[in-house]
Amino acid sequence: MKAIKTSIRDLPITVWLTALAIKRPVTTGMLIISLFVTGLVASKLLPQESWPALNVPIAFINVPYNGASPEEVERLITRPIEEAVATLGGITNLRSSSRSNGASIRIFMELDADLDSRIMDVREKVDMVRYLLPDDVQRVYVQKFSTEDLPVISLVLSGDKNLAQSYDFLNRRLKQPVERIEGVGQVEMRGVIQPYIEIQLDSVKLSMNRIDQAQLLRDLRASNFLVKSGSILSGGRKFRVTPSGEYQSLNDIRDFQVKAGVKLQDVALVNLVTPPRNSEIRTDRKKSVGVEIFKESDANVIEVTDNIVSLVEQLRVNEDFADIRIAIEDNTGQEIQDSLGDLLKAGSLGIVMSFIVLFLFLRNVHITLVVVASVPISLSFALAGMYFMGFSLNMLSLAGLFIAVGLLIDNSVVICESILQQKDASLNAVEKVLKGVDNVSIAIISGTLTTTIVFMPLLIGEKNFITILVEQIAVAICLPLFASLLISKTAIPLMLSRVNPKAISGVATQGRLDKWYRPNLIKILNHPKRTGAAIFLLVISGFVTNKLVESNGEQGDGETEIRIVYHLQGQQKLTDVSVLVDQMEAYLYSNQEAFEFTQINSRIFPGFAMSRIKLKDGFETPYNDLKAKIKEGFPETAIARPSFEWSAQKQKMVQMSLTGNSTKRLNELSEAVILQLSNVEGFSQVGLDERNQDMELVLRIDREIVSRLGLNTQDIAMRIANALRGSNLRSYRDATLGEIDIRVVFHPEQAIPMERIKELPIYEDNGRILTLQQLVSFEKQPIMQQIRRAQRRTSLDISINLDDINRQQAAQKIKQVMDNIALPTGYDWQLGRRFAEDQEAAMDMLINMALALALIFIVMAALFESLLMPIAILSSIGLAFIGVFWTFAILGLGLGETGRVGMLILMGIVVNNGIVLIDQINKLKANSVDLIQPIVDACVSRIRPIFMTVATTVIGMVPLTFASSDSQTYPMAVAIIGGLLFSTFTSLFLVPFCYLMLVKLGERNSRRFAKAKAFANKIIPI
């Protein structure tokens, strides 16, 4: 074997790296091995997730406040906080909900906002209005949203005994052991009642001892404290001073000195009590307790869940849990392992199938192994890069890696095929390798750039949820692509230079494919009118199929459960609601085989109840038919109107909102709107979740009496609120039970009898006790269970389940109905927030595609030094899009957001074949007089590598497509496969045809320009 020329600089610049690799084989080998080992180590260190963690720029403000009406919560808590945080900049939406148990405010910010700093700003704004909130508001929670804040595993405990009263046992034997597991951040128990300290005041004894309740509450709040007071020096030592007035035991509270000679226990009962049940959780008709477990932010979710499962297995055989069944639900760690495992198996099968297809083309084991070697090395480089860049291994990144497999082989196949086509006997093996690399270097570099450059507008442009998720796919595709470019320029030529020349010369570079392709291509090029007509028909079919695709629904996750919401009519007793749910469950379980479900989980509250029916895997009855069959036998009841909950799938449910100032007026308007929408074809269910109403007892204060007493109505109102609702004090920490709430009440029951309410002491006037009935009059009126607000206006959301229409068609039908309804001044309507988000995302994707197209054009114009040649290559993108529309129309799918992402990826893939074709045509055209002959020769010489790369890419993605058939990544995979197949078979003929037409157009324009220039240069005699 002859050596390389003495100086690498004497070679073309495109082969410098290749020549260096061949000249330094040991160094090159060690670098490749180091790269591979680094990737293997990184693959073990990469965090594994089902979906990438998202820090969505949403701030939550939650203010617990029990015992108040929704109107009171809205007036005293929600509005002041809304007015404060609304002054912050960068807020895109502000929504709130006011209930009888507190207020919840959601602040939506721009996606590129620094959430940590914005959370600090929100806290500052809330602190500024903290003094405006009621005095007995104990906590205001300001939190940010992150997918890492969701529970990683849930446990359901059920048994023959009432676990709701077993807080102490579950706290000591389950909650605390789980909290001690490394990586566990928080454990929350649902459906179990935590005891609290109740101070039940005796109104008679308060009157006898002339104790004012308002002053007593102020004294109790001031008595339980802990203050840091700095430090002192004594005897050369430094001591911290901490005045402590915290309660140490129940006796400390009972012995509290109310006034001289009167202790708290003299006018009140102070006990640790277990409150009555206000909720119920059921699993398979048995009362149960739910446990949600959260991990620490930097903990490995799989390790945490595995350790929790191990602890649960130990508890199951423990004698203390002999009569308790512990079921594991929503195990995120197991879901991640299952989903990634399925995807990994599918991807691995695709890789094996791709290698088999490659061998069938090459028919040579040595050459196949050389080409295949680029895949594991490039993937290991990608894993190492993802680890150092802070990414995780999830469904999206893993899908990106498998999409990249076919593209990795692309560069190696093109290089290998170019080297194999070097048949000049005067060249030695190394010279053949260098010449083969030089012939296609520019083409593969440009192809890699165009594939990766399509992601640039998404990564540097305005952020939205789609771009955040696409970033995972982009990194997983771009990193191995750049690695494959490096490998194809170094390791592949190095290995081919060491392969036996006889093995290389024995590889066939032509076959039956060439014999079929050549005459058909010549026929296409020689009949431009027929070919132009065929292109026109293809374009028309693209527009038609695009309209069909737009009318289809989007692909979504498969339905796995049915939810029944009971829509209770007013506030009911928990026992009555429990009986109702029991009747429904009895009906469902009596038809379990017919309804094809495995389990029912129910959540029961006095004002709300819901049952989740978990369907069997692969249930046979169509989902909507199954719901109709279940609804036929709903038990009749007077206290509820059970129906199915709004679909959890975005594409099967739409929302619209009515906004205005009066909740009562909005309710009246919603009745007319719902009546009209219910008659629309395609709307299966229309209604409000907020329809349920409670009854409110309105106490109207007699202002004349209050003024004679020298008081104000606000003071009287606060005294009434404290007497009826009770008041929260600073919590007390117990060594066994942890932090325990302290409540001051006049009556131990949640619902106080009317007679007792009327006799409540409110004010003392010169030894005379004034009761509630002496200061107020009583009225009853209905109220909403919750009040929603959007952008600081009261809002009612109307939800609509869809049958066989998509969201765009539903929006048009809603507009038609609302155009015929006259709303009062100050009241309006709008489609749900998701519509605006979908439109914005679609527009952003369209802009990103246009920018990506422009970048591809710039790269190719610079490569070919022509403004016309890139147009021929860009025609393959249009053909690919037509193929996508045809594929989705045949399968009856809607394009959706992930389908558009697949089209974006497709733009970078399909131009690679065109670049290789045009580059080869330009090289052959320089030595030919005829134009058609070099086009045909170039295309025939590149058809094998094109078919090899397309076949490996498509066949490698087929198992991946079936593995993701029930997920959001399915449309993306279908778009890539359908578009790539259609574009490959059509662009092999139409790209050369477009090239020929553009060259002729350029020559024709050049001749016309030359004639015009000659005519202009003529000297006209005078």
Side-chain angles (χ1 to χ4, degrees), residues 675-690:
L675 181 62
Q676 294 290 329
L677 293 176
S678 299
N679 298 323
V680 175
E681 184 179 358
F683 291 179
S684 63
Q685 184 179 352
V686 184
L688 293 171
D689 279 340
E690 299 85 357

Side-chain angles (χ1 to χ4, degrees), residues 338 348 363 383 481 711-712 738 743 771 913:
D338 292 342
S348 301
R363 302 294 180 91
L383 293 173
L481 269 182
L711 301 174
N712 56 63
R743 284 187 54 79
T771 60
N913 297 333

